Amino acid sequence: AMVTDGQWAWVGTAGYRVAEYRPPEFLADVRAADTVRLAGDTLAVTIGGRYLFGAPMAGAAVQWALTRELVSPWELRIPGTDRYSLAEARWWWEESSSFPSVVAQGADSLDTDGALSLATPLPAAENGQPSRATLSATITDVNRQTASASAAALVHPAEFYVGVRAMGDEYFWRAGQPHDIEVIAVRPDG
């Protein structure tokens, strides 16, 4: 309802139904080692499912997908690189799709310990840009209840970045005039 000319008027209605709520009976988990990853490396993850009363979900069905999305150079957090440009920054109209793309996917089941180990190759770098690889898994129990989890990893395009920054306080430069810059090479872990 809304007020029009001092009078309440109906502009629309909506309805909903509250169905029976069923609390989750198990948890899903995806774990990946916290290491520096390069394009072309293998991402090793462990997918796990455990009932809330502690038992492993032996034999439960698992659907998984590995997605990749480009990461902005501003998202890189490499120690000692403040004020350096580390990767090609593009204007929004030059960017390729910022939506994640599916790189690999599959279906499997958990072992007797309620775990599934996967090793999936990481895709090659796109235009030398860093990316984020995310492995998402959905586990389905015998009651057709599902739970999902994911783990993400930053994927670097090479073993090192070349960083550059302007020296001095000029923001704009004139063409044809020399300017000082500082150049560094830095590993992804600093």
Side-chain angles (χ1 to χ4, degrees), residues 76-185:
L76 294 174
R77 302 283 184 248
I78 300 175
T81 60
D82 293 341
R83 297 183 48 225
Y84 284 93
S85 296
L86 296 176
E88 180 181 1
R90 297 173 176 225
W91 297 101
W92 62 269
W93 62 83
E94 297 175 317
E95 293 287 340
S96 57
S97 173
S98 61
F99 297 107
S101 59
V102 176
V103 176
Q105 58 187 343
D108 210 326
S109 59
L110 300 178
D111 64 17
T112 56
D113 294 325
L116 170 63
S117 295
L118 290 176
T120 57
L122 294 170
E126 185 177 312
N127 298 325
Q129 295 289 100
S131 61
R132 182 173 295 106
T134 304
L135 193 125
S136 302
T138 300
I139 300 174
T140 305
D141 73 351
V142 294
N143 296 323
R144 295 190 309 254
Q145 191 175 23
T146 61
S148 298
S150 63
L154 184 61
V155 181
H156 301 280
E159 293 184 23
F160 66 92
Y161 288 91
V162 174
V164 62
R165 73 174 174 183
M167 303 304 292
D169 9 347
E170 291 182 29
Y171 188 73
F172 294 100
W173 293 354
R174 292 189 187 273
Q177 292 184 354
H179 294 277
D180 293 329
I181 60 171
E182 187 174 353
V183 179
I184 62 169

